[in-house]
Amino acid sequence: MAEGERGGAIIGKAHNMTEALKDPTAHAEILAITQAASALGDWRVTDSVLYVTKEPCPMCGGAIVLSRIPFVVWAVEDAKRGAHTVFGIFDNPGVNHHPAVLQGVMRSECLEQLQGFFRDKREKEWK
């Protein structure tokens, strides 16, 4: 997550910690938003951009809306659980904040990385 008021400084950075923490809410987006809010001293994470490899899930999409992040960028869409492409959370007229989105940035490179990660994980589990 980059922050405009701080001259493009990273104010939150995380990866998925669900398994390590045994916490279903420990998604990278949630952890990065928490760090950013702490760094800013405010729950509103305005004037920022959230960058993620894979499209946020509905839980993370809700956190993005509630934290007022204005812009979200991701590489790979989530055709099964995507907050935007499946559930339309960011465009929903019932929510009070509508972040702009940019999809498909470095998609092929990120898709290769994601597929490789899960391929390696499956191979380790089979052994």
Side-chain angles (χ1 to χ4, degrees):
M1 176 175 300
E3 165 57 37
E5 290 176 6
R6 300 198 178 210
I10 296 172
I11 58 170
K13 183 177 179 180
H15 61 276
N16 189 310
M17 297 289 292
T18 302
E19 291 294 331
L21 298 177
K22 306 297 183 224
D23 179 354
T25 68
H27 291 199
E29 297 91 333
I30 300 293
L31 299 173
I33 291 168
T34 300
Q35 289 176 17
S38 179
L40 295 172
D42 192 348
W43 60 268
R44 294 172 196 87
V45 187
T46 59
D47 194 26
S48 64
V49 179
L50 176 65
Y51 298 91
V52 293
T53 306
K54 186 176 175 190
E55 179 180 2
C57 73
M59 174 183 70
C60 295
I64 291 163
V65 168
L66 292 172
S67 63
R68 311 297 196 272
I69 294 171
F71 199 71
V72 185
V73 178
W74 66 80
V76 181
E77 70 286 345
D78 186 341
K80 293 181 182 178
R81 299 176 286 283
H84 182 66
T85 59
V86 176
F87 294 98
I89 291 171
F90 301 147
D91 295 331
N92 188 307
V95 300
N96 63 338
H97 175 72
H98 303 275
V101 299
L102 178 59
Q103 307 172 59
V105 175
M106 298 180 66
R107 185 183 187 284
S108 60
E109 297 91 338
C110 291
L111 183 59
E112 184 178 314
Q113 184 179 32
L114 285 167
Q115 289 172 336
F117 172 81
F118 287 108
R119 184 174 38 254
D120 292 348
K121 184 175 173 144
R122 282 190 300 273
E123 286 174 8
K124 288 178 185 175
E125 288 175 0
W126 290 340
K127 291 181 181 180

